[in-house]
Amino acid sequence: MIVSFPTSRDISIEINGKRLAVAQSYKVKASKESRYIESFGQEEPVGTVGGRSRYLIELSRVYVTDTALSDGIDFYSLSDFNVVIAKPDKRIIFSGCEWSDIVEGSSVGDVVLESVAILASKRMEV
């Protein structure tokens, strides 16, 4: 069995299918607003119901593509973008993304965002 791990060419930030940046690694935290269904006279809930899902994506070592640089893309003004993670058997697309935290650091000649925290409204596998 061959196990494949995502690489920087497999993790990207896109707008309208155009790759703006690639990331070295990622973490995703998914949460769901669930609640109990209670019935009068019962000591314990009779069930649960799921609510909205939320996704927090943390990207590290984000490199801006040459195309994005030449187009003058400003990551601080990005809104409603996609984060795409390519795996050997599928692509995971997080859409409706907004950044919530950016940590920037760079050496001469590099354009690197050390970490970017992103909130996504939807997750889809294709």
Side-chain angles (χ1 to χ4, degrees):
M1 175 195 244
I2 298 174
V3 178
S4 177
F5 295 98
T7 64
S8 62
R9 72 177 192 282
D10 302 321
I11 306 164
S12 61
I13 296 174
E14 298 180 358
I15 291 183
N16 299 327
K18 186 177 184 180
R19 184 179 286 204
L20 302 178
V22 294
Q24 190 174 49
S25 64
Y26 75 97
K27 282 194 254 184
V28 176
K29 178 182 177 187
S31 60
K32 189 176 235 182
E33 293 176 358
S34 301
R35 60 182 176 90
Y36 292 113
I37 300 173
E38 299 188 17
S39 180
F40 183 74
Q42 299 291 320
E43 286 186 27
E44 297 182 0
V46 294
T48 57
V49 64
R52 290 182 279 178
S53 295
R54 295 180 181 189
Y55 306 96
L56 172 62
I57 306 156
E58 295 178 11
L59 303 176
S60 63
R61 301 292 294 169
V62 178
Y63 294 88
V64 179
T65 64
D66 291 337
T67 305
L69 283 174
S70 64
D71 289 347
I73 298 294
D74 175 18
F75 273 83
Y76 293 93
S77 63
L78 282 184
S79 183
D80 195 26
F81 55 92
N82 295 339
V83 173
V84 179
I85 300 167
K87 294 190 174 193
D89 57 340
K90 63 188 164 198
R91 286 171 43 102
I92 301 171
I93 302 169
F94 293 94
S95 60
C97 295
E98 299 289 335
W99 68 268
S100 66
D101 189 49
I102 295 176
V103 177
E104 188 173 350
S106 180
S107 58
V108 175
D110 279 344
V111 179
V112 178
L113 302 174
E114 290 295 331
S115 65
V116 180
I118 297 167
L119 299 173
S121 61
K122 295 180 186 167
R123 180 186 183 276
M124 175 176 58
E125 291 185 18
V126 292

